[in-house]
Amino acid sequence: MVFEEIQDDIEKLDAARGAHAGYVAGDDTLAGQVVAITGDNEVSPSAADGEEVIGVATQGVAEGDTVNVLSVGTIANVRSNSGASAGDYLASAGATGEEGEVDTAGTGDFVIGMALETIGAGEYGQAILTLAGQVN
């Protein structure tokens, strides 16, 4: 089955109704496709069942162009305790690191968001806050 792109992008996926941000398209992307973080501030259409996704593309774009993505949450700068990769779920690391830091979420952790870029240990980086619940 071939993915059928939504027509009349803005009318179908109104960015004013939800949180949205622009990302670099890692691959050609069609309006309405669910996308995942595939690099630093880069998204591509989801290619795996149950993949950790960030939102839905609002317009069709070619690889390398900016694609607007509807998502839940606010983008914030967070400080990582031991580092995180783009696309990693994040959880509080207040006991293992400094109070208020984050780390890659593990089993049983409460997910507060997803890293949008690679964040070095002890450095700040962008994350989208989702408050998504626990990692299984």
Side-chain angles (χ1 to χ4, degrees):
M1 184 172 193
V2 175
F3 187 90
E4 187 174 325
E5 181 175 15
I6 291 177
Q7 301 300 311
D8 303 317
D9 301 343
I10 299 304
E11 290 81 14
K12 301 288 184 188
L13 298 169
D14 185 359
R17 293 186 187 161
H20 61 95
Y23 300 92
V24 174
D27 289 309
D28 292 348
T29 304
L30 302 175
Q33 282 185 312
V34 174
V35 294
I37 294 286
T38 53
D40 289 354
N41 292 301
E42 175 188 279
V43 297
S44 295
S46 175
D49 292 349
E51 185 174 19
E52 299 165 349
V53 298
I54 192 164
V56 177
T58 63
Q59 81 272 29
V61 299
E63 178 180 350
D65 288 345
T66 299
V67 59
N68 193 47
V69 176
L70 291 178
S71 188
V72 174
T74 301
I75 296 173
N77 285 314
V78 295
R79 182 180 162 129
S80 178
N81 173 43
S82 61
S85 298
D88 282 353
Y89 283 122
L90 302 173
S92 174
T96 57
E98 297 293 324
E99 290 183 357
E101 287 184 331
V102 299
D103 218 338
T104 301
T107 301
D109 286 346
F110 183 83
V111 174
I112 64 161
M114 179 186 282
L116 297 178
E117 60 188 354
T118 301
I119 308 171
E123 296 180 358
Y124 282 89
Q126 290 190 337
I128 190 162
L129 305 180
T130 60
L131 304 178
Q134 290 186 334
V135 176
N136 292 326

